[in-house]
Amino acid sequence: MAAISRLPLGMSRGIGWAMGSLLWVINGREAKVTKRNLEICFPEMPEQERLKLAKRSLQETGVMLMETPAVWMRDMAWLRSKVIETEGCELVDEALAKGKGMVLIAPHLGNWEVVGLYAATLGPITSLFEPPKNAEVGAIIQESREKSGATLVPTDRRGVMKLLKAIKAGGISGILPDQVPGDGAGELVEFFGRPAYTMTLLCNLVSKTGCEALVSYAERVPGGFKLVFKKSCPDLYSEDCDKSLRALNRSVEDAITALPEQYQWEYKRYKCFEDGYQDPYTNMS
């Protein structure tokens, strides 16, 4: 990882693109899940167009894997030099000026690691962190996310309370909203027309604090990244939990639709823990 992090960004992206192309040719789990997710989310898209998007998505995933060691291990001066364009930063300033804190809705779109690092330069940020099984990689990720001043808290009740306290103090929290939460921590809500087990944490944080919620992603562009901040769907602020969750998923959908090839389609978003729910990932080809 250290060696990869020193490669020029264009070179690491080129290697990643080749890796993604190989994933497509092999047609393993990643390719099969990607194709199934795109079938679910874009049923009206012509098949050849879907297959083209699936291949492009795997290539972008390869690029993500190869460019991320530099994002993690290079210094903030390097990262700032690679953020070559921003959109909607004034929305962050406006949200923080209200003093009620802010939640960044950061789906697995573009390079989400860049979002958290850049957001920490705009204001104090606190985020949940569950270390991966590989302790060495976990240490690298933690050091990376803290290098711009972020505070990481555990993914348990104690961590959530610290997250809540930080938002109430006017800070920022980054949440990945499209992960399947643990059993009992979500509800089935439509996502691209099919029920998906969706976390309730984000909507609960907004309801309890009255904070602003913005959607954010780091689009991969030639030479670096474009940081985008957008307003979420207004219904996300509803006291009706179901209505708020639907608005959360619509907010994520809108971001993905703007940049579908850079979304992590190989993730099994539609797996669920409820009895009687049919797993769409069986019998994939």
Side-chain angles (χ1 to χ4, degrees), residues 3 76 100 108 160:
M76 283 301 296
K100 294 185 177 181
H108 290 80
V160 172

Side-chain angles (χ1 to χ4, degrees), residues 174-188:
I175 303 286
L176 294 167
D178 49 353
Q179 290 179 313
V180 177
D183 192 8
E187 293 185 12
L188 277 173

Side-chain angles (χ1 to χ4, degrees), residues 64 74-75 122 127 195-197 229 275:
M64 167 76 182
R74 306 274 304 250
D75 59 25
L122 303 176
S127 299
Y197 201 56
F229 300 94
D275 293 338

Side-chain angles (χ1 to χ4, degrees), residues 211-281:
C211 68
E212 293 281 324
L214 299 178
V215 180
S216 183
Y217 56 91
E219 178 182 354
R220 197 172 294 108
V221 297
F225 304 94
K226 175 184 176 181
L227 261 292
V228 178
F229 300 94
K230 295 182 176 182
K231 289 186 177 182
S232 57
C233 292
D235 284 346
L236 190 144
Y237 301 99
S238 172
E239 292 297 323
D240 183 320
C241 183
D242 183 68
K243 192 173 183 180
S244 179
L245 287 172
R246 289 178 184 276
L248 170 61
N249 279 353
R250 283 199 304 273
S251 299
V252 175
E253 288 174 17
D254 290 345
I256 294 170
T257 303
L259 197 65
E261 68 276 9
Q262 291 192 23
Y263 186 62
Q264 192 182 18
W265 292 108
E266 70 273 13
Y267 178 66
K268 292 184 177 181
R269 181 65 182 90
Y270 293 99
K271 64 182 179 181
C272 181
F273 300 96
E274 295 196 3
D275 293 338
Y277 184 81
Q278 186 176 0
D279 185 353
Y281 303 108

Side-chain angles (χ1 to χ4, degrees), residues 25-202:
V25 172
I26 292 172
N27 194 37
R29 188 203 71 84
E30 293 83 2
K32 291 176 180 179
V33 173
T34 294
K35 287 186 283 187
R36 179 55 53 86
N37 279 335
L38 290 174
E39 287 172 2
I40 293 170
C41 296
F42 300 107
E44 297 180 359
M45 183 182 290
E47 184 179 4
Q48 289 304 311
E49 189 176 341
R50 274 206 313 267
L51 291 175
K52 184 178 179 181
L53 176 57
K55 180 179 180 180
R56 176 73 184 278
S57 171
L58 287 174
Q59 290 168 332
E60 292 287 353
T61 294
V63 172
M64 167 76 182
L65 290 172
M66 286 299 295
E67 72 184 8
T68 297
V71 173
W72 282 341
M73 304 181 80
R74 306 274 304 250
D75 59 25
M76 283 301 296
W78 179 88
L79 184 66
R80 288 191 187 95
S81 73
K82 298 304 176 185
V83 178
I84 59 180
E85 187 179 354
T86 61
E87 177 185 325
C89 282
E90 71 280 359
L91 297 176
V92 177
D93 294 336
E94 291 170 6
L96 293 178
K98 295 178 181 179
K100 294 185 177 181
M102 179 179 66
V103 172
L104 282 181
I105 303 168
H108 290 80
L109 181 64
N111 193 317
W112 54 90
E113 292 289 345
V114 174
V115 174
L117 290 170
Y118 186 83
T121 68
L122 303 176
I125 184 169
T126 303
S127 299
L128 297 173
F129 177 61
E130 183 174 3
K133 293 180 181 178
N134 187 309
E136 288 182 286
V137 174
I140 291 171
I141 296 173
Q142 183 168 357
E143 183 178 353
S144 165
R145 294 180 180 177
E146 291 179 340
K147 69 185 178 186
S148 59
T151 300
L152 302 184
V153 296
T155 55
D156 54 21
R157 187 177 182 278
R158 184 166 54 92
V160 172
M161 293 305 294
K162 289 183 177 180
L163 203 66
L164 187 64
K165 183 178 180 181
I167 295 172
K168 287 182 176 180
I172 305 170
S173 175
I175 303 286
L176 294 167
D178 49 353
Q179 290 179 313
V180 177
D183 192 8
E187 293 185 12
L188 277 173
V189 180
E190 278 198 2
F191 180 66
F192 281 106
R194 182 188 177 99
Y197 201 56
T198 303
M199 66 169 65
T200 55
L201 172 62
L202 194 150

